Amino acid sequence: MWAKLGLTMQDQLLLTVRKIPRGKVATYGHVAAAAGHPGRARQVAWALRAGAGTGVPWHRVVGSGGLIKLRGESAMEQRFRLEMEGVRFHGKRIDMKTHECKFGRARRRKARSR
DNA sequence: TCCGTGACGCGAT
DNA sequence: CATCGCGCCACGG
């Protein structure tokens, strides 16, 4: 259906990321699943890079377990931004128990056409 | 078209 | 907790 709307998977993923409310975070895997692409966590990361600078709340996407998967300064910026929104860290990981964003039931894709 | 490269995830070691 | 291997996939060379 998204595809029918002329949206690429990248747009679908980015759109899902935009839904993450302030003070909440979602994992790459969950974003992919919520967008209807279970198992495409990698593409989420790719989409995020591609959509950088387009106003996407990229900092709200973290790795499973609430771990920041960026490196170097980007990682610090992400952590800083999250803390700014009130996200609490337990050492190196985020308290997913209270900050993980729950998406509505992901719509299923009929098939991974190719 | 084949191949290496990742902001990934998960189970096994 | 740190690594490795494997599955997954869009992209660029």
Side-chain angles (χ1 to χ4, degrees):
Chain A
M1 115 33 145
W2 294 106
K4 288 175 74 169
L5 296 179
L7 295 175
T8 64
M9 172 163 77
Q10 201 180 104
D11 293 323
Q12 297 168 44
L13 296 171
L14 253 26
L15 233 32
T16 301
V17 173
R18 285 172 188 283
K19 296 180 186 172
I20 306 174
R22 233 162 123 282
K24 291 282 188 179
V25 298
T27 66
Y28 296 89
H30 284 172
V31 169
H37 294 282
R40 276 47 172 196
R42 255 175 151 146
Q43 277 51 242
V44 175
W46 212 263
L48 248 31
R49 293 208 90 203
T54 59
V56 182
W58 58 272
H59 54 286
R60 302 194 190 135
V61 184
V62 298
S64 65
L67 274 176
I68 287 183
K69 302 297 264 187
L70 287 179
R71 315 217 205 151
E73 311 214 5
S74 315
M76 296 201 271
E77 187 188 331
Q78 175 168 26
R79 175 164 181 157
F80 183 69
R81 288 191 177 224
L82 288 174
E83 292 182 318
M84 280 306 277
E85 299 185 349
V87 176
R88 302 267 299 281
F89 280 73
H90 284 291
K92 193 145 171 27
R93 30 177 55 193
I94 294 172
D95 184 348
M96 298 306 272
K97 201 69 167 172
T98 61
H99 298 298
E100 180 161 53
C101 167
K102 279 90 176 177
F103 292 103
R105 266 274 193 267
R107 231 181 305 261
R108 248 178 315 164
R109 310 244 85 218
K110 48 193 301 189
R112 282 157 275 145
S113 54
R114 215 283 186 188

